[in-house]
């Protein structure tokens, strides 16, 4: 019932806007910033942010938002990030995660990586249907967002221009236990979904806390 209670906390529209904003940033968010983004007073935002923390949907900490330290730097402010804990509700109860882990374990032990990737690529192509390969990064980001990947354009910092990373891996729980198998499956699925002959491509580039695949223009090859 804890998951039901946690998800029910998002029923309030202000609380949901605050949660979605914090989750989308991929970094710590202060109360003032969250309040401004949600269009509410700071005291109301603080109340809802703390309720989301109590529900286990956010995590809180404190740091100086001025970037300074020492005398005159100001008091540490409360900041929030999305909790890594997963929440799911199924009525009646179902346990697809255990089934997925057992199938992944069997596939890994049997050396079925190639067959799994081929099946994933076919599934991606079936999801794309008769549509042409993805036309640009904007179209790719919409497709990825619709499937829960939470795409965002990577900040410069040495990355090639227009690299899209994804804050969420829909297969995270199983990928943690079987990373080569599931990450390879994920790459093949996205290759099928986006196409391999168009102006964008998917490639493997794992980073802690994010999806193992990135999307970039094909000319980056």
């Amino acid at each position: 019932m804890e998951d039901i209670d946690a998800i029910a906390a998002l029923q309030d529209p202000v609380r949901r806007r605050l949660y979605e904003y914090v989750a989308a940033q991929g970094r710590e968010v202060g109360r003032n910033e969250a309040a401004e983004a949600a269009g509410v007073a700071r005291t109301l935002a603080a109340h809802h942010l703390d309720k989301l923390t109590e529900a286990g949907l956010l995590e809180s900490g404190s740091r100086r938002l001025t970037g300074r330290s020492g005398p005159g730097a100001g008091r540490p402010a409360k900041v929030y990030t999305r909790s890594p804990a997963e929440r799911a509700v199924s009525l009646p109860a179902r346990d697809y995660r255990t089934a997925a882990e057992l199938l992944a374990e069997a596939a890994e032990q049997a050396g079925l990586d190639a067959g799994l990737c081929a099946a994933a690529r076919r599934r991606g192509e079936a999801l794309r249907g008769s549509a042409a390969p993805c036309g640009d990064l904007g179209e790719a980001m919409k497709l990825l967002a619709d499937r829960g990947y939470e795409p965002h354009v990577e900040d410069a910092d040495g990355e090639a221009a227009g690299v899209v990373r994804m804050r969420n891996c829909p297969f995270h729980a199983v990928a943690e236990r079987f990373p080569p198998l599931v990450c390879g499956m994920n790459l093949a699925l996205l290759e099928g979904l986006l196409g391999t002959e168009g102006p964008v491509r998917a490639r493997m580039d794992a980073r802690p806390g994010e999806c193992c695949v990135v999307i970039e223009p094909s000319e980056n090859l």
Side-chain angles (χ1 to χ4, degrees), residues 54-185:
E54 291 173 12
L57 296 171
L58 297 181
E59 292 183 347
S60 64
S62 62
R63 67 176 176 87
R64 289 187 174 91
L65 299 178
T66 61
R68 303 194 304 271
S69 60
R75 296 176 59 186
K78 200 163 188 179
V79 291
Y80 302 85
T81 55
R82 179 170 59 181
S83 169
E86 295 184 14
R87 303 289 182 176
V89 175
S90 177
L91 298 174
R94 298 288 187 262
D95 188 5
Y96 299 114
R97 175 173 169 174
T98 296
E101 289 177 347
L102 289 171
L103 289 168
E105 182 178 354
E108 187 173 75
Q109 291 179 352
L112 299 178
D113 305 53
L116 177 61
C117 287
R121 191 170 289 105
R122 289 194 299 270
R123 175 59 63 91
E125 291 169 350
L127 291 170
R128 177 158 52 94
S130 59
C134 194
D136 54 38
L137 285 178
E139 183 181 342
M141 290 182 72
K142 184 180 184 309
L143 288 170
L144 295 166
D146 288 345
R147 302 202 64 80
Y149 283 91
E150 299 181 9
H152 65 100
V153 177
E154 178 66 70
D155 295 332
D157 293 338
E159 288 282 353
V163 171
V164 172
R165 291 189 176 271
M166 295 169 276
R167 292 193 176 96
N168 184 51
C169 172
F171 316 110
H172 174 72
V174 187
E176 276 197 317
R177 287 196 58 191
F178 308 96
L181 182 77
V182 178
C183 290
M185 176 199 77

